[in-house]
Amino acid sequence: MIWSPLMSGRCMSSNTMLYALYRMGYHGRATTHGFRGVASTILNESNLFNRDWIERQLAHVERNEVRRAYNAAEWMPDRRRMMQWRTDRITAMALEDDKIVPLSRAS
């Protein structure tokens, strides 16, 4: 879920990000779910984070029914640290080759 800056207390529509990709010219070439897959891969390959944190961040449900019934952990401090690491990595990669592209509202 991503909270909407325009609608106080409400989440963005599931299509908001997808339509943003379309407007940027990525129709048929990228999906929001693809970004989730990339995030999962990078976080898992880093070997810095517990896989439970990664799966929880992606809102995946525990497959093991017994574990799901007894483990209600959210790991919020760890997930925040993990997401900050990811943000810092993406920012560093973008700054490395001056690849930051400002996004503007469609007219």
Side-chain angles (χ1 to χ4, degrees), residues 1 9 13 21 34 44 48 55 58-59 61 66 89 100 104-105:
M1 284 192 300
S13 157
L21 287 173
N44 277 294
L48 297 173
E55 293 302 309
L58 294 169
V61 176
V66 173
R89 181 181 165 108
I100 295 178
S104 59
R105 202 173 268 239

Side-chain angles (χ1 to χ4, degrees), residues 11-84:
C11 296
M12 281 186 189
S13 157
S14 59
N15 287 320
T16 300
M17 299 292 283
L18 183 61
Y19 291 142
L21 287 173
Y22 291 174
R23 286 191 302 276
M24 289 186 279
Y26 290 99
H27 192 281
R29 295 180 8 202
T31 64
T32 54
H33 197 60
F35 287 108
R36 291 167 52 93
V38 169
S40 176
T41 299
I42 290 170
L43 292 169
N44 277 294
E45 284 186 343
S46 76
N47 287 318
L48 297 173
F49 307 106
N50 182 310
R51 73 178 194 101
D52 288 333
W53 307 346
I54 298 167
E55 293 302 309
R56 187 67 193 114
Q57 188 64 33
L58 294 169
H60 291 165
V61 176
E62 173 63 50
R63 290 182 183 175
N64 181 301
E65 290 181 23
V66 173
R67 191 163 193 259
R68 182 173 60 236
Y70 290 103
N71 185 2
E74 293 290 331
W75 302 289
M76 289 307 293
D78 298 312
R79 288 171 48 203
R80 284 187 191 102
R81 185 172 47 81
M82 177 178 71
M83 295 312 291
Q84 186 61 56

Side-chain angles (χ1 to χ4, degrees), residues 87-101:
T87 299
D88 293 344
R89 181 181 165 108
I90 290 169
T91 301
M93 289 182 339
L95 291 173
E96 187 176 286
D97 295 320
D98 195 30
K99 292 181 181 175
I100 295 178
V101 177

